[in-house]
Amino acid sequence: MNKIQTLIISLIISLSSITFGFASEVIGVIAAGIGNISNQNNEKLSTGSKIYFGDTIFVRAQSNAQILLLDETALTVGEKSELTIDEFIYEPQSKVGRIVSNIKIGTVRIITGEISRQNPDNLEVNVPTGSIGARGTEFVVVTESDEKSTVVLLGPGKKNSLGMIPGTLNISDGFNIVNISTPGFQSVVFK
């Protein structure tokens, strides 16, 4: 009986340390932070602060933050915004991974990184009214409430002068899917 109890206790401790290891994994950094920025633990964040898997970032009035993730995805979070990184998996050698983020409220500009370039289905941005998938592009999400979100494709377009691969957005309200491939076009998603 002692060996079984010791084994169970060891297993519980091992599982706890594994969970803690995932929770404390650094996935990015605040590349630029101005004003009142904090995480779910109410810790003040500023330029150079580390972002961990599962963090919720709160950006208050007259503040903003630019987050750079390990795959070079850049998230610019505007004032009065709340963003959570729900999932981040990335293998630097193969440049394969998955990002799932959740924008509860506010404005977030996203420039996709390596994960989205490899497979657009591996970048998902959830908003209260639906979800967005993106391939190698730049876009803005404005979530005004639980009832309305606006998504604007910024680029690059098909005939860009830099030779960049044109980006596309796949926007869903849970029932319908809208594809946007022309810079400047937008979709408003209602609940």
Side-chain angles (χ1 to χ4, degrees), residues 79-91:
E79 69 175 344
K80 300 179 185 176
S81 298
E82 181 179 334
L83 167 77
T84 302
I85 308 295
D86 293 319
E87 184 176 339
F88 186 88
I89 301 165
Y90 181 57
E91 173 55 49

Side-chain angles (χ1 to χ4, degrees), residues 1 16 18-19 22-23 32 40 54 58 62 74 77 81 116 137 144 149 172 178-179 183:
M1 190 84 164
S16 296
I18 290 170
T19 303
F22 286 130
Q40 71 280 1
F58 299 94
Q62 299 179 344
V77 186
S81 298
S116 178
T137 194
E144 299 174 29
S149 295
S172 173
V178 173
N179 297 314

Side-chain angles (χ1 to χ4, degrees), residues 25-174:
E25 182 180 339
V26 174
I27 61 167
V29 66
I30 301 278
I34 298 171
N36 188 358
I37 307 161
S38 62
N39 64 15
Q40 71 280 1
N41 299 323
N42 206 27
E43 298 168 336
K44 184 172 172 50
L45 303 175
S46 59
T47 302
S49 295
K50 294 176 182 173
I51 301 299
Y52 296 93
F53 173 78
D55 271 356
T56 297
I57 309 302
F58 299 94
V59 178
R60 310 289 188 227
Q62 299 179 344
S63 304
N64 60 56
Q66 185 175 54
I67 300 168
L68 183 61
L69 300 178
L70 292 176
D71 79 317
E72 299 178 1
T73 294
L75 309 164
T76 303
V77 186
E79 69 175 344
K80 300 179 185 176
S81 298
E82 181 179 334
L83 167 77
T84 302
I85 308 295
D86 293 319
E87 184 176 339
F88 186 88
I89 301 165
Y90 181 57
E91 173 55 49
Q93 284 75 23
S94 64
K95 299 183 180 181
V96 173
R98 180 162 172 76
I99 301 173
V100 178
S101 62
N102 186 356
I103 301 170
K104 184 172 181 183
I105 191 81
T107 303
V108 179
R109 180 177 140 231
I110 301 165
I111 301 174
T112 60
E114 293 295 336
I115 289 174
S116 178
R117 285 186 200 112
Q118 294 294 321
N119 185 347
D121 294 334
N122 289 343
L123 174 85
E124 182 179 327
V125 178
N126 295 312
V127 293
T129 55
S131 64
I132 303 133
R135 176 190 292 271
T137 194
E138 179 180 356
F139 60 102
V140 173
V141 179
V142 180
T143 300
E144 299 174 29
S145 68
D146 287 347
E147 303 292 321
K148 179 183 176 186
S149 295
T150 304
V151 182
V152 181
L153 176 62
L154 298 177
K158 292 180 182 176
K159 297 181 181 179
N160 68 77
S161 61
L162 300 174
M164 298 172 71
I165 298 170
T168 60
L169 296 177
N170 302 319
I171 303 163
S172 173
D173 64 359

